[in-house]
Amino acid sequence: AQSVTQPDIHITVSEGASLELRCNYSYGATPYLFWYVQSPGQGLQLLLKYFSGDTLVQGIKGFEAEFKRSQSSFNLRKPSVHWSDAAEYFCAVGASQAGTALIFGKGTTLSVSS
Amino acid sequence: GAVVSQHPSWVICKSGTSVKIECRSLDFQATTMFWYRQFPKQSLMLMATSNEGSKATYEQGVEKDKFLINHASLTLSTLTVTSAHPEDSSFYICSARDWGLAGPGGETQYFGPGTRLLVL
């Protein structure tokens, strides 16, 4: 079955500390992987995506993610968290076939403490 | 680039009325748009896939007669919640793929800001 698992429902980090959000996927075809961020009451903003090539991808707002095929993981990282990073983060997987919808994880809520 | 808008952002209606939500791709053409529903503190649930010029494909458990989708042009898809009831209250989000991008880039979905529906 195709699925995305985000094991951490809620994470709190101190401002300036590093962050890692976990994402594991189960997908039969070659996966396209995405991280989106959602602020309260807002839509989703694309942080970064992985299709192929270099397994370490850089995104906006200082985020990066590493694709590890052997672990079926696509963890999101940021070396120094800012208070404005507090939001809901969703990992998603899609297929290369045109028109295929994304499968989303349940999301991880990030809180940033001062 | 790759901006998706939704209108309205907020709507409150009486039970039994119908509500139309518009999803527009502002600076690109989208042959495929997706409609999601999100409950508080939960992930996005795909409702249907909307293809320009053809009937939408609904996910299992989604009533197509209740949630009417029309994708009349390459930049506009509409979701009409017919005879809305309080249980239809939710946050509805659309997304669109950039048809103009070939290859994997075209698989990126861009999301609208969402529409919050409250049915009284």
Side-chain angles (χ1 to χ4, degrees):
Chain A
Q2 301 168 349
S3 65
V4 176
T5 301
Q6 293 180 247
D8 305 304
I9 298 174
H10 192 174
I11 284 181
T12 299
V13 299
S14 300
E15 188 169 16
S18 63
L19 169 71
E20 182 170 34
L21 302 182
R22 296 182 291 167
C23 173
N24 293 96
Y25 67 90
S26 174
Y27 206 73
T30 301
Y32 291 164
L33 295 158
F34 305 83
W35 274 100
Y36 288 89
V37 61
Q38 184 182 34
S39 297
Q42 302 294 316
L44 276 68
Q45 181 182 22
L46 179 67
L47 284 176
L48 47 77
K49 58 191 176 185
Y50 172 79
F51 295 139
S52 64
D54 192 346
T55 56
L56 184 64
V57 293
Q58 303 296 320
I60 63 172
K61 303 184 178 184
F63 286 92
E64 66 177 28
E66 185 171 14
F67 170 61
K68 293 185 177 180
R69 185 184 298 275
S70 61
Q71 299 178 18
S72 297
S73 70
F74 188 57
N75 294 348
L76 181 71
R77 300 194 293 249
K78 186 170 184 177
S80 178
V81 170
H82 189 262
W83 64 266
S84 60
D85 293 324
E88 188 81 13
Y89 291 80
F90 293 98
C91 179
V93 63
S96 58
Q97 290 87 354
T100 304
L102 295 177
I103 298 172
F104 283 88
K106 292 186 181 298
T108 297
T109 301
L110 173 65
S111 297
V112 180
S113 60
S114 55
Chain B
V3 177
V4 176
S5 70
Q6 278 184 246
H7 178 79
S9 56
W10 257 103
V11 58
I12 301 173
C13 68
K14 293 182 178 180
S15 185
T17 60
S18 294
V19 175
K20 179 183 285 188
I21 302 171
E22 293 185 348
C23 177
R24 292 181 184 272
S25 56
L26 297 185
D27 50 2
F28 65 99
Q29 294 182 325
T31 53
T32 304
M33 291 183 174
F34 302 92
W35 286 95
Y36 296 85
R37 184 173 179 177
Q38 186 180 32
F39 292 102
K41 304 290 186 181
Q42 295 191 27
S43 188
L44 282 73
M45 180 189 76
L46 178 67
M47 299 175 64
T49 302
S50 170
N51 295 297
E52 187 266 337
S54 64
K55 291 184 179 180
T57 302
Y58 291 82
E59 294 299 299
Q60 190 173 9
V62 178
E63 300 176 60
K64 59 183 178 182
D65 293 331
K66 181 166 189 60
F67 298 99
L68 299 179
I69 292 173
N70 183 17
H71 195 154
S73 76
L74 286 172
T75 59
L76 174 64
S77 176
T78 60
L79 168 68
T80 301
V81 183
T82 62
S83 187
H85 288 93
E87 58 266 29
D88 299 323
S89 299
S90 191
F91 192 53
Y92 293 89
I93 306 177
C94 71
S95 71
R97 289 178 53 247
D98 189 340
W99 178 71
L101 292 179
E107 299 308 319
T108 300
Q109 290 186 28
Y110 298 94
F111 285 80
T115 296
R116 189 163 301 282
L117 170 63
L118 178 60
V119 184
L120 303 175

